[in-house]
């Protein structure tokens, strides 16, 4: 039996989304899948995978350009695979309290790719996050790490269950 192969690709500016992707990849591997985690900007060919998880950070109401370009570049082949999308954003507990719908760019990508689902995870801004706005948010006490490993792992287990056993 060969384990199903899953590509976990992420678009990030400051690394928080990479952490989410790494957690997803680790959980999929624990479930017996073969998972590879890479930056979305490096994905040129998805044909070696049974499924693709593609995530991106949210900035000013938009999905990561890196994730969006990855979706565009690989659209034809993604359409023939099980695709799951995620966003990493809110720096508060809102993503825990209700399902946050995809921003318009992600909603369009879901349609185009025939993605199975989308989830929004909390994001992270820390003292080390560069940029004027990030620093101002941290100074105002609005930073923090709102990535919830348990919620991320639960979603990854759900993907493993949907993809099913090795073929
Ligand atoms: C300038 C700026 C704009 C942001 N805009 C949004 C936004 O529109 N929606 C949202 O949910 N989160 C927003 N965030 C929070 C980021 O999405 C969050 O910090 C995310 O985890 C960053 O991911 P990254 O480190 O992988 O780039 C913003 C953060 C910054 C610094």
């Amino acid at each position: 039996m060969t384990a199903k192969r899953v590509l976990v690709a992420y678009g990030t500016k400051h690394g928080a989304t990479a952490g989410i992707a790494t957690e997803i990849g680790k959980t999929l591997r624990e479930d017996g899948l073969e998972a590879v985690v890479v930056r979305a900007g490096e994905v040129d060919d998805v044909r070696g995978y049974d499924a693709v998880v593609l995530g991106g950070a949210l900035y000013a109401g938009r999905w990561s350009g890196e994730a969006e370009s990855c979706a565009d570049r690989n659209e034809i082949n993604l359409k023939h695979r099980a695709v799951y999308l995620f966003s990493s954003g809110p720096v508060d507990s809102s993503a825990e309290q209700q399902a946050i719908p995809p921003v318009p760019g992600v909603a369009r990508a879901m349609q185009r790719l025939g993605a199975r689902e989308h989830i929004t995870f909390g994001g992270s801004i820390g003292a080390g996050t560069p940029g004027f706005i990030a620093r101002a948010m941290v100074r105002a006490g609005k930073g923090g790490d709102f990535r919830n490993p348990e919620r991320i792992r639960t979603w990854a287990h759900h993907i493993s269950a949907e993809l099913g056993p090795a073929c």
Side-chain angles (χ1 to χ4, degrees):
M1 289 222 299
T2 321
K4 290 216 171 131
R5 282 177 58 80
V6 185
L7 176 67
V8 183
Y10 62 90
T12 181
K13 271 193 189 170
H14 304 308
T17 314
I20 295 173
T22 300
E23 194 64 48
I24 292 171
K26 191 170 144 235
T27 307
L28 295 176
R29 282 192 289 275
E30 283 166 11
D31 289 341
L33 300 168
E34 212 178 292
V36 177
V37 181
V38 292
R39 271 195 85 134
E42 293 169 11
V43 178
D44 287 322
D45 194 348
V46 298
R47 284 174 297 179
Y49 300 92
D50 301 295
V52 176
V53 179
L54 175 60
L58 294 173
Y59 283 93
R62 302 193 63 160
W63 208 35
S64 145
E66 189 183 352
E68 208 161 305
S69 304
C70 176
D72 290 346
R73 224 174 28 253
N74 295 286
E75 179 173 338
I76 291 170
N77 292 314
L78 285 170
K79 275 182 181 169
H80 301 293
R81 286 168 171 76
V83 172
Y84 299 83
L85 304 182
F86 74 87
S87 302
S88 124
V91 194
D92 57 28
S93 57
S94 56
E96 308 280 307
Q97 284 154 8
Q98 79 252 334
I100 297 182
V103 298
V106 180
R108 283 193 295 275
M110 286 193 77
Q111 285 261 313
R112 280 204 325 271
L113 307 177
R116 291 191 176 186
E117 57 189 80
H118 166 270
I119 189 169
T120 301
F121 293 117
S124 177
I125 290 179
T129 307
F132 170 76
I133 297 175
R135 279 200 300 274
M137 285 172 77
V138 171
R139 266 201 311 274
K142 289 186 179 151
D145 189 348
F146 290 85
R147 295 170 298 175
N148 176 341
E150 211 39 60
R151 187 157 173 260
I152 295 164
R153 280 197 287 271
T154 299
W155 192 60
H157 284 311
H158 158 71
I159 292 174
S160 307
E162 270 204 12
L163 294 177
C167 44

